[in-house]
Amino acid sequence: MDFELKTLDLAGAAAEKCDVLVVLVPENFQAGKDPVSALVSAALAAKDLEPKPGKLLQAYRAQGIAAPRVILAGAGDGSGKRLHSAVQAAVASVKSSPARRLAILVPPGSGADGVRAAVCGTAESSYVYITTKSKPEARELKKVVVCVADAATDREAFVRARAAAAGIEFARELGNLPPNYATPTRLGEEATKLAKAHGFGVEVLGPKEVARIGMGSFMGVAKGSAEPLRFIILRYEGGGKGQAPIVLVGKGITFDTGGISIKPSAEMDEMKFDMGGAASVLGTFRALAELKPRLNVVGLIPTCENMPDGSAYKPGDILTSLSGQTIEVLNTDAEGRLILCDALTYAERFKPRAVIDIATLTGACVVALGGVRSGLFASDEDLAQQLQQAGEDALDPCWRLPLDEEYAEGLKTNFADVANVAGRAGGAVVAAKFLHRFTQNYPWAHLDIAGTAWKGGNNKGSTGRPVGLLLEYLLAQSATGARPAGKDAAPAAKGKPSTKGKKGHAAA
Ligand code: BES
Ligand code: MN
Ligand code: ZN
């Protein structure tokens, strides 16, 4: 899908040649003297259109409007969130039609939020999974023209939104792949492909190398699977040699049966999404490739299956982690923390300025926060604030939960330094406290995305979250994010992202 940003007012939009014209109509809609305004004003006056988000009114061959199909979409108070819902609803309503060319008229004054809503809302709503269908019905939409009052002002927001949409979609597609396709080996290949295409560093380690490093906890989880584990290291170097990197660590369990502490079979298929953290790291790198901010970012992905087998790890086993701490496995279904703890220790060698892990870690987090907000835990106040803000700005919100020492009480055991589970109470916090032990040497945050990485039921599928949040955070951290367009601005600020396998601003 191709996006274009264009300066067009209501009159211009009426003349725009496209299959569908979407007009976002907030409560304070400012009518002009043009056919689109006439249509909107008449519909509002007759109360046939309510400016509430999600409400749609469609017109066919309306007078004076070039597009055969016009969708008026209520956008409530005109906030980013409402505009996003309006775009989603409008695009969903044309999803099964043959429309190829869409124009979206963003209300003047809605700025970056409006542009983001148009781009990301369209990408999200028009996505179709086709990879493993024998007669795929692919996305019909080919071209989306985002119409704003002044394209020059909105250019940077547009370039960012387009990169975010690409990253989110990449994560979504990986998440949706069946577990016999998205194996640890395949994730390694995807990382390599991404790195080769965009010029970042990549290493994909296998069982032998991981054993040599000493990741005994990670290895314990992988033991019961016929699929060999992978440890993926991605490096984006846009910030120059001396700059401490931000490390993203993604849980990459490509299928979680629970192991010997096996899960009930109902909905077990959804445990293919247990690599959502890994997918979000890859998706974020996909977006970085386009924007090339002045920043160093390392991606670490421990990936394996959690299977029951004659060689599987079992309750009572003691694993020796890379940190040297010994861990008693009391439940093999608490495997995410066991692969993450070794990656978190490994992260120390990058002397990071912050480490953020992203994991579909606990059912308890789903109980606590549902599918609306990801769980956020942080040992550093600034980092917590930055991530919270990024979540709000990107409409990919999180909610902070505590890390009091008392929550770690239940992890005590007679047989090792720490157990991998405690009682059921406060399960999301207990899991975070387990990870906390391995993150003492840098500012750390943990995002529990068990409730937000995918949707179940009729709309079953990956969401691509929290790529939006992570990208927003990284851009806010980079000089590029704050820098206005100018002579020495980075490519992203000039709106001409280069994607030709260059290393960004390694020397800047
Ligand atoms: N991948 C699951 C967490 C999960 C469960 C995410 C359901 C989304 C929906 C994780 O590996 C797990 O099994 N966690 C256990 C931990 C427990 C054994 C302490 C859980 O949440 O039940
Ligand atoms: Mn599990
Ligand atoms: Zn899991």
Side-chain angles (χ1 to χ4, degrees):
M1 205 174 23
D2 191 23
F3 289 97
E4 187 187 333
L5 186 69
K6 225 175 179 176
T7 303
L8 273 187
D9 58 7
L10 282 155
E16 179 70 10
K17 288 200 175 67
C18 54
D19 299 321
V20 182
L21 172 65
V22 175
V23 184
L24 301 175
V25 184
E27 284 145 5
N28 67 351
F29 179 79
Q30 303 287 322
K33 289 190 168 57
D34 57 90
V36 172
S37 293
L39 185 64
V40 172
S41 302
L44 285 172
K47 296 203 160 49
D48 283 328
L49 173 67
E50 282 182 272
K52 288 188 185 148
K55 296 280 182 188
L56 302 178
L57 180 70
Q58 307 225 10
Y60 194 64
R61 298 202 182 283
Q63 219 168 38
I65 299 176
R69 209 165 154 184
V70 182
I71 304 177
L72 309 182
D77 62 6
S79 64
K81 190 167 165 174
R82 301 301 180 211
L83 291 169
H84 188 99
S85 314
V87 173
Q88 270 184 312
V91 173
S93 77
V94 295
K95 196 168 175 178
S96 51
S97 85
R100 294 168 66 88
R101 199 181 156 96
L102 186 78
I104 303 180
L105 187 59
V106 176
S110 47
D113 286 346
V115 172
R116 189 208 303 266
V119 173
C120 292
T122 303
E124 190 179 331
S125 247
S126 61
Y127 169 85
V128 261
Y129 174 82
I130 55 169
T131 311
T132 46
K133 299 228 176 139
S134 67
K135 295 181 194 69
E137 283 182 27
R139 174 189 259 151
E140 289 286 347
L141 212 51
K142 295 286 176 290
K143 175 93 187 183
V144 181
V145 182
V146 178
C147 312
V148 295
D150 178 20
T153 320
D154 288 335
R155 177 71 53 190
E156 187 178 350
F158 173 73
V159 171
R160 278 182 174 213
R162 207 171 44 180
I168 291 166
E169 191 155 314
F170 187 60
R172 224 172 143 181
E173 182 65 21
L174 285 174
N176 284 336
L177 284 181
N180 60 332
Y181 285 66
T183 59
T185 304
R186 170 76 181 268
L187 291 190
E189 289 164 2
E190 293 290 339
T192 305
K193 210 160 63 177
L194 192 66
K196 292 276 159 346
H198 301 288
F200 21 81
V202 65
E203 281 177 83
V204 179
L205 310 184
K208 280 200 193 110
E209 290 106 326
V210 163
R212 210 172 301 133
I213 295 169
M215 297 181 157
S217 186
F218 178 22
M219 285 158 61
V221 175
K223 261 174 64 182
S225 169
E227 291 288 340
L229 65 75
R230 292 287 183 263
F231 186 64
I232 303 167
I233 304 155
L234 278 165
R235 280 165 174 271
Y236 166 75
E237 282 162 0
K241 280 245 152 37
Q243 196 194 85
I246 293 167
V247 180
L248 305 178
V249 180
K251 171 178 172 181
I253 294 291
T254 60
F255 197 73
D256 183 10
T257 65
I260 298 297
S261 316
I262 198 159
K263 288 181 181 293
S265 50
E267 294 171 3
M268 204 206 268
D269 64 289
E270 293 188 13
M271 283 297 122
K272 73 171 183 177
F273 298 115
D274 210 16
M275 35 63 78
S280 76
V281 173
L282 291 167
T284 302
F285 270 77
R286 170 72 185 75
L288 288 177
E290 244 169 76
L291 296 174
K292 303 219 182 295
R294 294 183 178 178
L295 193 71
N296 292 338
V297 187
V298 174
L300 299 178
I301 298 174
T303 171
C304 67
E305 287 181 340
N306 185 22
M307 299 290 280
D309 178 82
S311 58
Y313 78 140
K314 40 195 188 297
D317 280 1
I318 307 277
L319 305 174
T320 302
S321 67
L322 177 60
S323 72
Q325 295 178 71
T326 57
I327 304 165
E328 184 179 27
V329 179
L330 290 177
N331 189 320
T332 63
D333 198 11
E335 85 298 338
R337 61 198 79 180
L338 295 175
I339 72 168
L340 289 169
C341 69
D342 279 346
L344 288 167
T345 302
Y346 190 87
E348 286 179 13
R349 65 186 64 188
F350 299 99
K351 301 197 171 46
R353 85 181 209 228
V355 178
I356 302 158
D357 76 71
I358 309 102
T360 48
L361 203 63
T362 64
C365 193
V366 189
V367 174
L369 297 174
V372 180
R373 287 176 183 264
S374 304
L376 167 70
F377 300 84
S379 62
D380 182 272
E381 294 308 305
D382 289 343
L383 185 55
Q385 275 218 329
Q386 290 155 359
L387 288 168
Q388 278 173 306
Q389 189 59 52
E392 299 305 317
D393 293 346
L395 302 181
D396 186 357
C398 57
W399 195 260
R400 194 170 178 191
L401 294 166
L403 282 170
D404 299 284
E405 251 342 281
E406 289 86 342
Y407 286 104
E409 230 5 73
L411 293 173
K412 288 185 177 151
T413 158
N414 293 339
F415 302 107
D417 299 338
V418 65
N420 78 328
V421 294
R424 279 162 47 89
V429 192
V430 174
K433 285 307 290 180
F434 177 91
L435 297 176
H436 196 186
R437 299 174 63 95
F438 299 86
T439 62
Q440 298 299 311
N441 298 326
Y442 45 68
W444 164 72
H446 158 58
L447 286 163
D448 193 331
I449 57 166
T452 52
W454 77 90
K455 289 182 185 142
N458 288 338
N459 295 321
K460 191 188 286 182
S462 167
T463 60
R465 290 178 70 180
V467 171
L469 181 161
L470 293 170
L471 184 66
E472 193 70 22
Y473 161 75
L474 290 174
L475 293 176
Q477 293 309 299
S478 79
T480 312
R483 199 178 290 253
K487 258 215 314 254
D488 61 349
K494 284 194 272 183
K496 282 199 190 114
S498 95
T499 47
K500 288 255 166 64
K502 275 182 263 155
K503 270 219 175 166
H505 294 270

